[in-house]
Amino acid sequence: DYERFREEVLVPLKKNCAFIYRPFSCKTFTLSEPVTVIPRILNIVEGTYSLHPYFEAPYDLRIFLSVDSKIQLERISQRPPHLVQRFITDWIPMEKRYFDFFRIPLQADLLLDTSGDKSVNA
């Protein structure tokens, strides 16, 4: 939902204005309850598609998080069982194509491998 994200989050952030948006939950595949954001000195935007060229590089620092595929599957298996197969057959291959096509890791200023980080949530 590129347009919604740009208009509801990125435009107000750039203007340093408070805003309300509804984050998408990968656990339920629904929009979560509205969240109010008051921009600060440091604002973190995260998400698989947050570095998409559509957004025209609005960030001061871009960090790309990677994970070993085995660890990724372990983390995904902690999600609701009815969604696990969809992640494996649909989401992971689409994410890989997106990363490869747009060379997303190469756009990042910093690359971090989270494979050994037990604190990272699925």
Side-chain angles (χ1 to χ4, degrees):
D1 198 346
Y2 301 108
E3 294 87 3
R4 184 177 72 87
F5 178 72
R6 183 182 65 205
E7 295 306 313
E8 291 183 10
V9 177
L10 293 180
V11 169
L13 268 179
K14 186 172 184 168
K15 294 178 181 177
N16 202 33
C17 296
F19 60 93
I20 297 172
Y21 80 107
R22 294 183 67 194
F24 181 78
S25 169
C26 290
K27 292 184 179 183
T28 63
F29 273 73
T30 62
L31 293 177
S32 301
E33 291 299 313
V35 173
T36 300
V37 176
I38 299 170
R40 307 283 186 208
I41 292 171
L42 173 64
N43 300 287
I44 298 173
V45 174
E46 67 85 22
T48 298
Y49 295 95
S50 61
L51 293 179
H52 194 284
Y54 174 83
F55 301 122
E56 301 175 350
Y59 315 110
D60 295 324
L61 178 66
R62 295 166 305 226
I63 302 171
F64 182 82
L65 304 178
S66 63
V67 66
D68 174 80
S69 59
K70 182 180 176 190
I71 303 293
Q72 182 183 37
L73 289 175
E74 288 175 11
R75 292 177 183 166
I76 286 174
S77 71
Q78 297 171 20
R79 298 202 177 188
H82 69 284
L83 297 177
V84 171
Q85 192 57 45
R86 181 156 185 219
F87 274 92
I88 293 168
T89 59
D90 297 337
W91 185 75
I92 293 173
M94 284 190 300
E95 180 183 74
K96 182 171 177 6
R97 285 193 301 273
Y98 157 70
F99 290 159
D100 292 345
F101 184 80
F102 290 112
R103 303 173 57 158
I104 297 299
L106 297 177
Q107 292 183 39
D109 301 303
L110 182 61
L111 302 171
L112 298 175
D113 185 337
T114 66
S115 299
D117 187 352
K118 300 297 183 191
S119 66
V120 176
N121 294 326

